[in-house]
Amino acid sequence: MRAGTKIMRAVSAVALSSTVLAAATFSAQIATVTVAEAAVVNRIDVRGNRRVEADTVRGFMQISPGQNVSEADQDEAVRRLFSTGLFSDIRISQSGGTLVVQVEENQIVNQVLFQGNSKIKDEQLIAAVQTKPRAAYSGATTQADVETIQAAYTSIGRSDAIVSVRTQEIGENRVNVIYDIQEGDRTKIQSISFVGNNAFGDSRLKQVIALRESGILSFIQRNDIYDPDRLRTDEETLRRFYYNRGYADFRIVSSVAELDESQNSYFITVTVDEGERYTFGNVTIDSTVAGVDTESLYGEIETQTGEVYSAKDVEDTLVNLTNSLANAGFAFAQVTPRGDRDFASRTIAIDYVIDQGPRAYVERLEIRGNTKTRDYVIRREFDVSEGDAFNQVLVQRAKQRLEDLKYFEKVDVSTAPGSEPDRVIVIVDVVEKATGELSLGGGYTTGGESSGPVAEIGVTERNFLGRGQFIKVSAGFGADTRNYSLSFTEPYFLGRRLAVGFDVYHSESSSGDYDSQRTGGDIRLAAPITEDLTAQIAYNIKQEKFGDDNGTTYNQFTNSRLVDTSGNLFESTCGNADPLATAGSPIVDLNGNAAEAPPYTDSPIINEAICDSPYLTSSVSYTLTYSTLDNANDPRNGFFIQAGQEFAGLGGDANFIKTTGKATYFQLLSEEYDVIGSLSGGAGNVSTLGGDGLRVFDNFFKGQDIVRGFDYKGIGPRQNGVSIGGSNYANASAEATFPIPGISRDLGFRGAVFADAGSLWGSEFDSEPGVIGEDASLRASAGVGLIWASPFGPLRVNYAHPLAKEDFDELQEFSFGFSSRF
């Protein structure tokens, strides 16, 4: 036992000694490593660099000689060097007091090239990619560029485009970066279908959204391109459509776009839950803010008890109440609508609660994403600016205004905390879109001497030079007409919502009984009185010339130009009783037969007016326009009312006061079948302001513009069959338009049925020989029309059958032209 004990003690002693020795050794190693990690660097040796100076590398590292450098410091230096994008490989090691930095420089991009692209031009792709000439080459950046290019092709409907990248060595550590592109075929939208919709059919909902199924005109309109963002936008459009028509519980269950690779087409299915339709219940206003007179605010309410619920009416009421409170000195008042649904009666009672909101101010309005549109064009749509009280309602209204400008694909408005707790930064992110438009139109007019082809070309820019200005240049050509025009509008004059603009025009016409030329222009100023009411004043000037340009006349029997016996063209002279004195020798037609010089027309009144031309008209005018249309281009609901007067006599040859007015009411008769009804009417009067009375050409000349089925200048007073115009007119019309069964609505065709009635009467020349039709005899017609919302503008063909007419009226049952009825 003693021997064993001694042995065990010996082993324990050895083990303990070994443990102590090992611990000492480990401690020494730790100390050594610690010293190595925190060693002082006396010198930084940069190796492998060719273009980048060594001092530049040292500056990027942010390590200085004399500094204790740990491994963490070295790792951070490597990170900083890589972040410059100048190097493809970096290694750092330490040898004594020297820090060795071994770098391998990235190659320099000589050129960025694209091959295989035709649908997207090189200039567009160069602007999109991050890789630029003379910059350092980065594989990660070029791969990101590949994704960017593929996204660009997806946005134009070519989601199966294949993009790859490669480099071409050209020596001296430089490369060309080449993107190879296989553009593929256009990816179409084969179908758009809806599930769960009962109140509105698929065809109606397809008209609401922007995406369209592919059709024969898709190559022009380009609205059949699937994009997830566009689908999200259409979802929001559907929500607003339902919310504004009483379906407050509407929701989109899902929207799925499935790509059939065999057809290279998308099939889009939108599943909805419409919910019940509500009307407004009781509408009240409550306030917790002392001094607010709630009774005086009820006139600002757009939501009326019993009317169909509309989210837009609620939003408009919020804006109205907020503005009224701000004008009354309650800048921080906050209006909140609180709805109370009654599921049994399907009503929503609204209580507008006015509370004292947080005292927050706008510190800064930050605009992002605009490359063309100037900042001030965006800022001026806000009713709040830096330093003003922050109001969420007014900010959202500004967002709606920006969207209504049609300058942007997308507008997002968000907020961020400011430098102080009571400061807010308003951030506006926009995605711009093309605002220029080239329009081409053509057709064929029928009826009498004016039959023949017509064409029109126009160039419009709604955001000229990014200043928000409108400019349009157009020209039209017909069988016997020419017209040219230029329009310009500055919508914010002197930083205020005052639209200032001018128009200049020139037109020539040889249709009808005599030729005419008009050259003129105007300067105008328009100001909004309310959201729906606008006033405009203008100064107008024009010169009018009537009759043949060179005075040559035609033989009324042979319809050939008259010449004298020497072969010279005969030139008529107004008031010359002896035409031979003008010709200098007997007058003959082109066949050598004796001829007589006829008057311009069979109306002495018109002939005298022609001989007195040219005329100069200088006038001022004002116009009031009231519009509640839901869509100015394709109205389905609302009023459009316009009235004004023109006063001539500021110099020139005319002295008159002309009063005109027109009104149109649109009502959607059937949501499901998209049947739109409209009622319209108009009237006018012109009276002399003194002098020699009215000139004949100051009268109204009316026809198919108020009663379809009649020729231009086809109704009203006449002398010897020639229109001499009238001093009064009135008209009314009823119309219904509808989609044509069996034809896809995406083609843009609609049918129409209509009935017109009107009259043109009154003349200062009623005592002249041969004058008839000065009484207010009713003209009426009924007919059908075909409307095409073409890519070049709305075109329309009408057939109207006169139901009430006079024997001396001139008819034109078929008409063709650009669609415009208000």
Side-chain angles (χ1 to χ4, degrees):
M1 292 292 294
R2 291 181 179 175
T5 302
K6 289 181 180 180
I7 292 174
M8 289 299 297
R9 288 177 178 174
V11 171
S12 299
V14 172
L16 179 60
S17 301
S18 300
T19 302
V20 172
L21 180 61
T25 303
F26 182 67
S27 300
Q29 288 177 347
I30 291 176
T32 303
V33 171
T34 302
V35 171
E37 288 182 350
V40 175
V41 170
N42 298 318
R43 184 163 129 344
I44 300 175
D45 183 12
V46 180
R47 303 174 184 176
N49 57 311
R50 289 185 289 179
R51 296 186 318 275
V52 184
E53 296 292 336
D55 285 342
T56 302
V57 176
R58 296 185 186 104
F60 287 137
M61 293 173 60
Q62 297 183 14
I63 294 177
S64 303
Q67 177 181 337
N68 288 331
V69 178
S70 65
E71 287 187 357
D73 294 331
Q74 295 179 21
D75 292 341
E76 182 63 21
V78 170
R79 187 193 65 78
R80 291 194 187 104
L81 289 174
F82 269 123
S83 67
T84 65
L86 298 173
F87 309 104
S88 59
D89 190 25
I90 303 163
R91 294 187 299 277
I92 296 180
S93 61
Q94 190 169 349
S95 176
T98 301
L99 193 66
V100 179
V101 183
Q102 183 73 39
V103 298
E104 184 176 331
E105 294 179 346
N106 271 327
Q107 296 170 303
I108 294 298
V109 177
N110 180 58
Q111 284 183 298
V112 179
L113 305 172
F114 304 92
Q115 294 186 354
N117 58 306
S118 62
K119 303 302 179 182
I120 302 180
K121 302 303 180 184
D122 284 8
E123 295 78 9
Q124 297 171 278
L125 294 175
I126 288 174
V129 299
Q130 299 179 54
T131 302
K132 305 295 182 184
R134 295 183 297 279
Y137 169 79
S138 167
T141 301
T142 58
Q143 288 303 316
D145 289 340
V146 167
E147 296 180 4
T148 299
I149 296 172
Q150 287 176 328
Y153 274 94
T154 298
S155 69
I156 64 168
R158 295 179 179 271
S159 57
D160 62 342
I162 300 174
V163 183
S164 60
V165 62
R166 57 189 171 90
T167 58
Q168 180 184 48
E169 302 279 350
I170 61 172
E172 298 182 357
N173 205 34
R174 294 184 302 156
V175 294
N176 290 334
V177 178
I178 304 170
Y179 295 95
D180 293 305
I181 303 170
Q182 299 178 35
E183 295 183 316
D185 296 327
R186 285 190 70 232
T187 307
K188 302 177 181 179
I189 297 179
Q190 186 66 31
S191 72
I192 302 174
S193 58
F194 298 86
V195 177
N197 52 311
N198 298 310
F200 307 104
D202 281 20
S203 57
R204 176 70 180 104
L205 296 181
K206 288 178 186 179
Q207 292 298 108
V208 173
I209 63 177
L211 288 173
R212 290 287 185 269
E213 295 172 344
S214 299
I216 60 175
L217 297 178
S218 296
F219 73 98
I220 297 176
Q221 299 171 325
R222 298 290 183 178
N223 52 11
D224 65 332
I225 298 172
Y226 170 71
D227 184 326
D229 290 337
R230 295 182 69 190
L231 183 56
R232 300 289 86 77
T233 301
D234 280 344
E235 288 179 5
E236 184 59 31
T237 302
L238 282 173
R239 289 188 188 96
R240 295 188 66 85
F241 175 79
Y242 272 93
Y243 292 162
N244 291 336
R245 285 158 178 79
Y247 294 89
D249 296 328
F250 172 83
R251 66 188 183 95
I252 294 177
V253 178
S254 66
S255 56
V256 180
E258 296 180 326
L259 176 63
D260 186 334
E261 296 184 358
S262 63
Q263 301 183 44
N264 197 28
S265 298
Y266 280 101
F267 292 79
I268 299 175
T269 304
V270 181
T271 303
V272 302
D273 180 4
E274 293 179 327
E276 299 293 340
R277 195 182 195 200
Y278 293 88
T279 58
F280 284 112
N282 292 330
V283 179
T284 56
I285 301 176
D286 290 319
S287 175
T288 62
V289 180
V292 172
D293 181 9
T294 57
E295 292 300 322
S296 65
L297 296 174
Y298 276 91
E300 305 294 339
I301 292 179
E302 301 287 343
T303 54
Q304 303 299 325
T305 302
E307 292 184 351
V308 174
Y309 173 84
S310 170
K312 182 180 183 301
D313 290 343
V314 175
E315 293 170 3
D316 290 343
T317 300
L318 288 178
V319 173
N320 293 347
L321 293 174
T322 300
N323 285 331
S324 293
L325 290 166
N327 293 335
F330 301 96
F332 296 99
Q334 181 174 292
V335 185
T336 305
R338 295 178 181 174
D340 183 13
R341 279 179 173 80
D342 187 330
F343 295 100
S345 62
R346 295 178 185 173
T347 60
I348 300 178
I350 303 291
D351 184 20
Y352 295 99
V353 180
I354 303 171
D355 295 314
Q356 188 67 42
R359 288 184 173 272
Y361 298 88
V362 177
E363 177 176 308
R364 187 172 72 254
L365 192 61
E366 186 175 320
I367 314 295
R368 304 189 304 203
N370 55 316
T371 57
K372 174 185 176 182
T373 306
R374 312 292 178 94
D375 273 15
Y376 68 82
V377 173
I378 298 174
R379 290 176 181 273
R380 67 192 184 191
E381 297 300 329
F382 284 80
D383 290 328
V384 294
S385 57
E386 282 86 348
D388 289 347
F390 173 76
N391 190 297
Q392 185 65 43
V393 172
L394 298 183
V395 169
Q396 289 304 311
R397 171 50 62 97
K399 177 179 183 293
Q400 185 63 50
R401 284 176 177 163
L402 289 172
E403 292 173 341
D404 292 342
L405 290 175
K406 309 298 184 185
Y407 299 167
F408 310 108
E409 290 280 359
K410 186 178 181 182
V411 178
D412 286 326
V413 179
S414 58
T415 59
S419 58
E420 300 290 338
D422 63 345
R423 297 292 186 267
V424 176
I425 299 173
V426 178
I427 302 171
V428 184
D429 290 294
V430 298
V431 178
E432 293 179 313
K433 67 179 181 181
T435 54
E437 182 177 297
L438 172 66
S439 60
L440 301 170
Y444 193 90
T445 61
T446 62
E449 298 176 358
S450 62
S451 298
V454 294
E456 182 168 335
I457 181 172
V459 178
T460 303
E461 173 55 64
R462 302 190 307 275
N463 188 14
F464 184 59
L465 299 179
R467 301 175 183 270
Q469 298 164 336
F470 174 91
I471 187 170
K472 180 178 181 179
V473 181
S474 65
F477 309 92
D480 42 24
T481 60
R482 301 285 188 276
N483 61 77
Y484 313 91
S485 67
L486 167 66
S487 295
F488 174 84
T489 302
E490 165 56 66
Y492 275 79
F493 183 60
L494 299 178
R496 300 180 179 274
R497 287 195 179 117
L498 299 174
V500 174
F502 67 84
D503 307 283
V504 292
Y505 59 87
H506 175 78
S507 66
E508 303 174 7
S509 174
S510 58
S511 63
D513 301 304
Y514 46 85
D515 295 352
S516 65
Q517 290 186 10
R518 291 180 173 86
T519 303
D522 60 61
I523 300 174
R524 45 191 163 73
L525 170 66
I529 300 175
T530 68
E531 286 289 335
D532 301 325
L533 181 63
T534 302
Q536 176 177 291
I537 59 173
Y539 170 74
N540 319 280
I541 188 168
K542 65 179 176 179
Q543 185 183 64
E544 299 171 290
K545 182 179 180 181
F546 301 94
D548 297 336
D549 288 346
N550 60 5
T552 58
T553 64
Y554 292 82
N555 184 286
Q556 57 187 335
F557 304 108
T558 64
N559 199 32
S560 60
R561 283 193 181 276
L562 302 179
V563 296
D564 62 22
T565 52
S566 302
N568 300 316
L569 284 173
F570 167 79
E571 295 187 359
S572 64
T573 303
C574 285
N576 192 335
D578 183 7
L580 296 182
T582 302
S585 58
I587 303 170
V588 295
D589 63 20
L590 294 179
N591 297 319
N593 301 317
E596 296 181 358
Y600 282 105
T601 73
D602 292 329
S603 168
I605 296 174
I606 294 294
N607 291 338
E608 181 180 357
I610 289 175
C611 289
D612 288 341
S613 69
Y615 296 108
L616 182 68
T617 301
S618 174
S619 67
V620 293
S621 61
Y622 75 88
T623 304
L624 294 174
T625 302
Y626 176 77
S627 176
T628 61
L629 299 180
D630 58 341
N631 186 309
N633 298 319
D634 187 19
R636 284 174 165 78
N637 288 286
F639 285 94
F640 181 87
I641 303 173
Q642 195 171 72
Q645 290 184 303
E646 181 182 6
F647 302 88
L650 305 176
D653 304 307
N655 290 279
F656 63 78
I657 176 174
K658 186 173 289 187
T659 305
T660 58
K662 57 183 178 181
T664 304
Y665 171 66
F666 292 89
Q667 176 65 53
L668 190 60
L669 303 178
S670 171
E671 286 274 15
E672 182 176 0
Y673 298 105
D674 196 21
V675 179
I676 305 169
S678 65
L679 297 172
S680 61
N685 169 266
V686 59
S687 304
T688 182
L689 285 177
D692 298 329
L694 284 176
R695 304 174 307 173
V696 66
F697 291 122
D698 292 334
N699 283 327
F700 297 109
F701 290 83
K702 296 292 180 179
Q704 61 181 257
D705 59 330
I706 62 172
V707 185
R708 286 164 284 195
F710 293 82
D711 197 4
Y712 174 66
K713 302 180 183 179
I715 65 175
R718 313 184 84 79
Q719 184 184 43
N720 301 329
V722 179
S723 174
I724 60 172
S727 57
N728 304 283
Y729 77 89
N731 69 287
S733 177
E735 180 171 281
T737 67
F738 48 86
I740 300 176
I743 298 180
S744 171
R745 293 193 190 185
D746 292 339
L747 297 178
F749 287 101
R750 293 180 68 86
V753 293
F754 58 83
D756 297 337
S759 183
L760 174 67
W761 73 94
S763 173
E764 290 194 355
F765 308 100
D766 55 0
S767 61
E768 295 285 334
V771 174
I772 58 175
E774 68 276 8
D775 60 331
S777 298
L778 181 69
R779 277 77 165 181
S781 67
V784 296
L786 176 64
I787 307 168
W788 180 34
S790 76
F792 316 112
L795 303 178
R796 179 163 181 155
V797 178
N798 290 322
Y799 170 77
H801 178 70
L803 302 176
K805 62 184 180 66
E806 297 294 322
D807 293 337
F808 51 81
D809 290 337
E810 295 182 0
L811 309 182
Q812 184 180 336
E813 296 186 343
F814 280 99
S815 62
F816 177 94
F818 293 94
S819 175
S820 178
R821 293 295 295 165
F822 65 92

